[in-house]
Amino acid sequence: MSPAPHIILVMTDQQRFDTICALGASHMETPNLDRLAREGVVFENCFVNAPSCVPSRASLFTGLEPHTTGILRNGQNWSRTWVRNLVDAGYHCVSVGKMHTIPYDADAGFHERFVVENKDRYFEGRWFADDLDKAFAAQNLTKPSREGYRALPDYQNRLGAVEWTLPKGLHPDVFVSETARWWLNSRPQPNQLFMQIGLPGPHPPYDPTPDYLQRYLARNDLPVPDVKEADLQGLPDYLKKKRVHDTEVDHDAVAWKIEPSHDELRRLWTHYCANVTMIDDQVGLLLDCLEDNAYLDDCVIIFISDHGDALGEHGLSQKWSMYEPVVKVPCIIWSPERFRPDVVGEKIQLFDVGATILDLAGAARSELMQARTLRCALEGEPFSGREVVFSEQAGDVSMTGARLVTMARSDRYKAVFILDAEDGQLFDLDTDPGEVVNLWDDPAHLEIREELRRAILDWRARSMLETMDLFAEAR
């Protein structure tokens, strides 16, 4: 076993933490992810640095907080990553699928990139063609998008749930997996490989093929939300405005409804879960391919997602909120030859995975990196995790009622602060794990709220001091 293993980072988009059967989601069919969970190290409390794609990924691949990178919303330019440090350490670095750099085709430090971006790029598709777009063009086919889905007679009731009826090999998740396997099968094995595999699902549109959909249609155990009026009344104003906004703008081909029916929500969940099982099968094929090509002999496989999805809970669509199904994601690190199976309950942040990759690779890391390596937890040594985790978001188009939203979460309490707003959110996760009872205005919890406010102020102040040299160099 070499000091520096091959490292395969499999990253889905918008996958909730509660979508792996072996980790308690009994309604899911995920045998391959179950294997990784049983044989690997599971970090069951992994929280994203931002509840949307671009700022979350920018933090993961820089090791810096969103307010440090300045990347706090989707659409902002970013392409500088720690991948170059892996190159300097002798790794051959390949990216297949979604990275969501802006511009999409920035090299981001990789030797090779095969770009497959969001499934639905309504305006961007007019000026940028990724590798999947080119595959569609080569077969004289039209790639599905919201422009086409809008022609469905029940589009306004689908909540983004559609079937993939084109060739299976052109489904984004299958195409990315097959491209990664083509590379592994056809290219000489480098001494050390870092491969980032960015699967575009289960991000909407929620578009499984019919065979996967059939596996969930008859299930009666899907946790379809039953949202109560008290829950909706407890939303801060910015989320009430977001609910309305999402009925007016069909982001990612999701036309939302203020009061979706149980059957409409059930269809949404059916499609989402089926898409996750599609992904699970592709993970299994990737594992087989790595084994066939002798990569698994000395390999670390990491499975994560960039953020989750509300899927109708609290009356909300997609991300951009700070509820657990959005900010908490799966995180599994698998390498049976190196690490014993374990479940780590301490809290971590998603960008800690990046620091861990550099550590395992023996690559240099910037002294300014704010992420922390998880290596001691992987090796079974004492690990305290993070006392409080944070998430932040600003300026996205769906956040019509907020300029900046910041979450601070301890073991028991979560507070969400909205800049320039009188309201916010405070939850006691011990007594209210579903985050239904908003304690923001409860006098008995005022000190808890202020304690978490102070934690945010301290976090941002320390972050500023840690990065003073970075800003000095920029001048």
Side-chain angles (χ1 to χ4, degrees), residues 277-339:
T277 295
M278 278 190 71
I279 288 170
D280 181 83
D281 275 1
Q282 296 307 311
V283 170
L285 293 171
L286 285 165
L287 289 171
D288 290 343
C289 182
L290 289 164
E291 185 170 27
D292 291 344
N293 289 282
Y295 281 96
L296 284 194
D297 295 342
D298 189 15
C299 188
V300 175
I301 296 175
I302 301 171
F303 182 86
I304 56 173
S305 192
D306 58 352
H307 54 78
D309 193 318
L311 289 183
E313 293 193 53
H314 312 287
L316 297 170
S317 171
Q318 293 213 63
K319 54 259 189 183
W320 299 294
S321 68
M322 296 295 182
Y323 289 104
E324 296 286 279
V326 173
V327 297
K328 186 175 173 181
V329 292
C331 179
I332 304 170
I333 301 180
W334 180 95
S335 185
E337 297 300 316
R338 290 174 175 266
F339 314 127

Side-chain angles (χ1 to χ4, degrees), residues 204-357:
Y206 310 105
D207 58 355
T209 55
D211 53 333
Y212 286 94
L213 191 56
Q214 287 297 322
R215 295 161 66 170
Y216 283 90
L217 285 175
R219 297 192 72 117
N220 57 14
D221 59 345
L222 299 182
V224 180
D226 179 17
V227 183
K228 305 300 184 184
E229 185 62 25
D231 189 357
L232 299 177
Q233 290 302 317
L235 294 175
D237 186 60
Y238 97 93
L239 288 180
K240 291 177 181 178
K241 290 180 178 177
K242 178 186 180 302
R243 294 185 70 227
V244 175
H245 170 87
D246 288 343
T247 68
E248 299 169 341
V249 182
D250 53 344
H251 295 291
D252 307 306
V254 180
W256 194 243
K257 299 180 72 173
I258 289 292
E259 295 184 356
S261 69
H262 175 83
D263 287 345
E264 289 164 348
L265 287 172
R266 188 182 186 284
R267 175 167 59 182
L268 167 61
W269 275 75
T270 298
H271 283 67
Y272 183 88
C273 294
N275 198 165
V276 172
T277 295
M278 278 190 71
I279 288 170
D280 181 83
D281 275 1
Q282 296 307 311
V283 170
L285 293 171
L286 285 165
L287 289 171
D288 290 343
C289 182
L290 289 164
E291 185 170 27
D292 291 344
N293 289 282
Y295 281 96
L296 284 194
D297 295 342
D298 189 15
C299 188
V300 175
I301 296 175
I302 301 171
F303 182 86
I304 56 173
S305 192
D306 58 352
H307 54 78
D309 193 318
L311 289 183
E313 293 193 53
H314 312 287
L316 297 170
S317 171
Q318 293 213 63
K319 54 259 189 183
W320 299 294
S321 68
M322 296 295 182
Y323 289 104
E324 296 286 279
V326 173
V327 297
K328 186 175 173 181
V329 292
C331 179
I332 304 170
I333 301 180
W334 180 95
S335 185
E337 297 300 316
R338 290 174 175 266
F339 314 127
R340 294 180 178 177
D342 197 5
V343 176
V344 179
E346 286 79 8
K347 298 184 299 301
I348 66 167
Q349 300 260 199
L350 183 63
F351 72 169
D352 294 335
V353 171
T356 306
I357 289 171

